[in-house]
Amino acid sequence: MFSLSGKTAVITGAGSGIGRAIALLFAKQGARVEIIEVSEENAKAVCAEIDAAGGAAAWQICDVGDQSAVRKTMDAVAGRSGGKIDILVNNAGIAHIGTVLNTTEDDMDRLYRINIKGVYNCMHVAVARMVEQGGGVILNMSSIASSIGLPDRFAYSMTKGAVEIMTLSVAKDFIKHDVRCNCICPARVHTPFVDGYLAKTYPGREAEMFEKLSQAQPIGRMAQPDEVATLALYLCSDEASFVTGCAYPIDGGALNLR
């Protein structure tokens, strides 16, 4: 079950955190993984991990906010895969902390460019190819921020709400073309971003604040990237062939058990 053998999976932001976990798991399950990153160092490192484990991977540097760069990147991916893009995982994204009062216009533009326009750019190019080839799977990374008001996450929450509605729109528009589109809505996940945030914001109190953030979720801990990757594997596999237009929470009870 959950084999991705023979499939080409494009994963944006796959150099660290959740994207890295998805790339490693998809490769383990037989996919040919295409890592799309802005960090050459991170992209090479994940490719090396996949190669060492006997998987197949390639990497390419691409700014997902630039549509012409995305098009060139997807064309290169298709050239390496015999023209196919079976799976697209829109994982690349950036975070921001702030309310409507201290979120600047530049902040809004920067988050829109990556978290919204970047997702649009990748789907804009990939969906056309999927329709032509007779189907495909898209998985977008949203957040529980799309459903609840998280404090100090005004702009970030806005972008994740947009990701969720783009997911539903694409699912509806292309269901007759055998293109499935879903999104995952995680609560707090223990990634390098969390560690960096704590080190910058609470120097000397990292352990204390890590525990506080963990306990803020009903389950009493943060998710691990591997747990999100497992859900991603299901949604991108043939076993989920009846699933489209859904936003899946993976939240440790954050939405319903508070």
Side-chain angles (χ1 to χ4, degrees):
M1 294 179 68
F2 310 117
S3 171
L4 300 180
S5 180
K7 297 183 185 294
T8 294
V10 177
I11 306 170
T12 69
S16 64
I18 295 171
R20 171 182 170 272
I22 294 174
L24 294 175
L25 181 57
F26 280 23
K28 181 181 178 182
Q29 295 304 111
R32 185 179 170 282
V33 173
E34 290 278 350
I35 294 169
I36 308 302
E37 257 290 346
V38 291
S39 168
E40 182 175 340
E41 179 182 0
N42 289 351
K44 285 182 175 179
V46 177
C47 267
E49 287 186 80
I50 291 173
D51 290 341
W59 61 271
Q60 195 151 336
I61 300 305
C62 177
D63 172 7
V64 296
D66 180 342
Q67 188 172 121
S68 63
V70 169
R71 190 174 300 280
K72 290 177 183 177
T73 296
M74 294 294 186
D75 286 347
V77 168
R80 290 190 289 266
S81 67
K84 290 198 314 174
I85 297 177
D86 301 292
I87 298 167
L88 168 65
V89 180
N90 276 311
N91 171 76
I94 56 177
H96 180 261
I97 297 170
T99 69
V100 68
L101 296 181
N102 55 23
T103 297
T104 68
E105 186 176 11
D106 286 344
D107 291 333
M108 289 290 287
D109 289 343
R110 181 171 56 91
L111 265 75
Y112 166 80
R113 186 176 186 277
I114 302 302
N115 292 9
I116 298 178
K117 188 183 176 188
V119 173
Y120 150 72
N121 283 339
C122 291
M123 291 198 295
H124 179 73
V125 176
V127 168
R129 192 171 290 275
M130 289 177 177
V131 168
E132 184 178 327
Q133 70 192 24
V137 181
I138 296 171
L139 181 65
N140 298 322
M141 197 60 60
S142 184
S143 165
I144 62 166
S146 65
S147 300
I148 59 177
L150 296 179
D152 290 329
R153 297 295 189 279
F154 172 76
Y156 177 77
S157 298
M158 174 271 298
T159 66
K160 293 306 181 181
V163 168
E164 186 167 331
I165 202 63
M166 283 193 290
T167 297
L168 301 179
S169 180
V170 168
K172 179 167 285 190
D173 287 341
F174 295 95
I175 192 169
K176 299 301 184 183
H177 295 275
D178 290 327
V179 175
R180 296 193 297 109
C181 188
N182 296 291
C183 67
I184 292 178
C185 303
R188 187 171 285 118
V189 182
H190 185 195
T191 64
F193 170 80
V194 171
D195 293 332
Y197 165 73
L198 292 176
K200 179 181 179 181
T201 311
Y202 303 101
R205 299 176 57 203
E206 291 92 340
E208 171 196 346
M209 295 308 298
F210 181 87
E211 182 63 19
K212 183 175 181 180
L213 291 177
S214 298
Q215 292 301 322
Q217 298 176 114
I219 206 168
R221 66 175 178 86
M222 298 185 198
Q224 293 299 317
D226 289 348
E227 293 174 303
V228 181
T230 301
L231 178 56
L233 172 62
Y234 166 67
L235 291 172
C236 291
S237 72
D238 290 342
E239 280 74 16
S241 60
F242 201 61
V243 181
T244 191
C246 292
Y248 272 77
I250 178 167
D251 64 359
L255 292 181
N256 297 316
L257 301 182
R258 287 188 178 278

